Amino acid sequence: MFKRLSIPLFILALVGVGYLFYLRHVIISKFEYHRWNLPSRVYSDSFSLYPGKQTSTSEIKDKLKHLSYIPTGSEPDEHGEYRQQGNTFEIYLHSFNYPQEEFEGAPITFTVSNGRIGNIVELATDEPISLTRLEPELIASLFAQEMEDRTLVKLSEVPEDLIQAIVAVEDERFYSHIGIDPIGIARAFVSNLKSGSIVQGGSTLTQQLVKNIFLYPKRSFIRKFNEIIMAIMMELRYSKEEILEAYLNEVYLGQQGASSISGVAEASHYYFSKNITQLNLAECALLAGLIRSPGYYSPFKNPKRSKARRDFILSRLAEEELILPEELKESQRAPLPQQRKRRKLTNAPYFVDFVQKQLRENFPADKLRSEGLKIFTTLDMTQQRAAEKSVKDWLTRL
């Protein structure tokens, strides 16, 4: 009897071990060599600012609008804000990475008089500036089939407030569990039982990452089993920091037209027109709140729900003494981001087609749509828009 049972059990154990090695191979091959498809981006020329430049207040204001600068009633104190008082502009320039340099934005002021820019002064130092610039406009993104818009970020670049907010609401025992959280699963089970519906999930950040990278979205017992085993394997092989960085770059945070907003860095640009390093506490809490359901908690579509979710997360951070009471009050009073006019996916389509034709002579098509290249061109978008308007006006007359 024992011999009869031992052979099937041995075969079963052998199959089980083989399956575990297979899952381990999947994790190593995909995670260690995993490469996100990053859209390549085509940019216009930058817009130079210098004393004596011929321009107008309407042209400057139009340029700032297309670069998603936010008008403010007070002196701008954050990147991407500006104030106009008559012919005088105060602009806190965006930072931008050019091929040859990393440009650090600073607050400047100047007056436009008689169709020309007067003296330019840096507000922080009160020093005159002979030349500065507004960053190039994004005129096209070249996507792979997945249509994922993503900007990769290192963990060291992510604000601590954002990390704390995500961990607090998505996986508060992230730094102590081994990939799965039995306490979280039990708590979610009780909450769902009380409500009569699924109102809370028990998946850890590691499980969410495994599901997004390795597994299919359809729920099944086999998928859940694989998710649990692979989450434990990942925790045994990789550090918490490696797992968290991958999660922050992978997480889905909304939709812009046909393309998905993937990763916290891209979401920071989409919702706040900021680099992720510039986010304040309220903005970090809002992004963390979007993870559960980006559409349901969108500040653009459902501002009341978004504010309630943000304020709940801020309260959680205060309860855990991660932020001070005065920080809680100030952040809960902060306004939600306002949706700006959505940029066309492709501006100057004939020009972009011409650029792509040139690029294909030097780069394979798959690299153009997956390597995250930055392509800088000579296109002057101010002149381009003026030309498009002129053609449109004449066509209307004809």
Side-chain angles (χ1 to χ4, degrees):
M1 181 71 178
F2 178 75
K3 288 183 178 180
R4 289 179 188 174
L5 288 174
S6 62
I7 294 175
L9 287 174
F10 176 76
I11 294 173
L12 188 63
L14 199 61
V15 171
V17 171
Y19 190 64
L20 291 178
F21 271 99
Y22 164 72
L23 292 181
R24 179 177 177 274
H25 170 73
V26 170
I27 290 172
I28 294 173
S29 61
K30 283 194 174 183
F31 189 74
E32 294 188 7
Y33 303 101
H34 179 66
R35 296 183 63 171
W36 284 279
N37 282 334
L38 304 177
S40 292
R41 295 184 168 100
V42 182
Y43 292 92
S44 71
D45 198 358
S46 56
F47 187 82
S48 298
L49 298 171
Y50 53 87
K53 179 184 176 77
Q54 188 172 346
T55 186
S56 64
T57 55
S58 59
E59 183 179 0
I60 296 290
K61 191 173 181 180
D62 183 67
K63 190 69 177 178
L64 293 171
K65 182 186 76 171
H66 282 92
L67 289 169
S68 299
Y69 278 76
I70 302 168
T72 178
S74 56
E75 183 177 310
D77 58 3
E78 289 191 1
H79 293 272
E81 292 184 343
Y82 80 94
R83 176 170 66 174
Q84 180 186 4
Q85 295 178 306
N87 294 336
T88 300
F89 287 91
E90 295 172 339
I91 307 170
Y92 205 131
L93 299 173
H94 279 135
S95 298
F96 192 83
N97 291 332
Y98 291 93
Q100 304 296 330
E101 65 171 312
E102 187 172 325
F103 177 76
E104 182 62 34
I108 63 169
T109 183
F110 59 86
T111 298
V112 178
S113 179
N114 298 320
R116 294 188 182 276
I117 293 178
N119 291 334
I120 303 175
V121 176
E122 186 174 335
L123 285 169
T125 62
D126 205 31
E127 294 288 327
I129 299 173
S130 59
L131 175 67
T132 188
R133 54 191 161 177
L134 295 171
E135 68 276 14
E137 292 184 40
L138 176 65
I139 58 177
S141 292
L142 311 179
F143 291 98
Q145 288 184 341
E146 291 82 359
M147 293 293 287
E148 292 180 337
D149 215 350
R150 178 185 282 107
T151 301
L152 290 184
V153 66
K154 295 179 181 177
L155 186 62
S156 58
E157 298 172 316
V158 181
E160 188 64 27
D161 287 334
L162 180 56
I163 294 173
Q164 289 178 340
I166 290 175
V167 171
V169 295
E170 291 294 322
D171 188 1
E172 60 183 340
R173 276 175 289 278
F174 172 71
Y175 292 103
S176 59
H177 64 59
I178 59 166
I180 59 172
D181 182 10
I183 296 174
I185 293 172
R187 187 184 63 242
F189 176 77
V190 172
S191 298
N192 296 337
L193 197 63
K194 286 180 179 179
S195 65
S197 61
I198 298 177
V199 296
Q200 188 173 338
S203 295
T204 63
L205 294 183
T206 314
Q207 286 177 264
Q208 293 178 42
L209 179 62
V210 165
K211 181 182 66 177
N212 291 339
I213 293 182
F214 306 111
L215 303 175
Y216 49 87
K218 186 178 180 181
R219 293 182 179 181
S220 69
F221 174 77
I222 294 176
R223 194 213 74 180
K224 196 66 180 178
F225 173 79
N226 287 340
E227 178 186 303
I228 291 171
I229 298 300
M230 293 172 82
I232 295 173
M233 286 180 168
M234 283 201 68
E235 292 275 353
L236 292 173
R237 185 173 181 85
Y238 305 107
S239 68
K240 292 288 186 180
E241 289 73 22
E242 289 175 301
I243 292 170
L244 184 57
E245 181 174 290
Y247 177 86
L248 294 171
N249 281 304
E250 177 66 29
V251 64
Y252 170 73
L253 287 164
Q255 199 76 21
Q256 182 180 21
S259 62
S260 61
I261 308 300
S262 299
V264 294
E266 188 62 34
S268 176
H269 288 295
Y270 177 66
Y271 290 106
F272 308 110
S273 296
K274 289 183 178 182
N275 291 329
I276 193 165
T277 56
Q278 300 165 354
L279 294 183
N280 59 38
L281 175 58
E283 292 162 346
C284 289
L286 191 150
L287 275 194
L290 288 171
I291 293 174
R292 176 174 291 184
S293 180
Y296 189 82
Y297 294 112
S298 169
F300 302 151
K301 299 176 182 177
N302 301 296
K304 288 185 178 180
R305 291 176 191 162
S306 182
K307 185 179 187 307
R309 177 73 173 158
R310 181 199 70 180
D311 292 352
F312 164 74
I313 292 172
L314 289 167
S315 298
R316 282 286 300 274
L317 293 173
E319 288 171 9
E320 296 179 19
E321 298 183 348
L322 295 172
I323 62 173
L324 299 172
E326 51 267 33
E327 291 179 303
L328 170 66
K329 292 179 182 178
E330 181 182 356
S331 297
Q332 288 182 332
R333 288 195 299 266
L336 296 178
Q338 299 298 308
Q339 186 169 25
R340 288 163 290 282
K341 186 178 180 181
R342 181 178 292 167
R343 290 178 297 191
K344 291 186 292 184
L345 186 61
T346 302
N347 292 291
Y350 298 109
F351 180 80
V352 172
D353 286 344
F354 170 72
V355 170
Q356 287 196 70
K357 183 179 179 181
Q358 287 192 320
L359 289 169
R360 289 193 195 101
E361 295 175 2
N362 299 288
F363 299 95
D366 61 327
K367 286 190 178 292
L368 287 176
R369 288 169 167 75
S370 64
E371 295 291 327
L373 303 178
K374 283 186 174 182
I375 299 112
F376 293 89
T377 72
T378 57
L379 183 66
D380 184 330
M381 283 304 297
T382 301
Q383 297 298 322
Q384 174 69 23
R385 281 188 285 270
E388 289 178 359
K389 184 178 183 304
S390 179
V391 170
K392 184 179 179 181
D393 291 345
W394 274 102
L395 287 174
T396 302
R397 293 183 191 181
L398 289 171

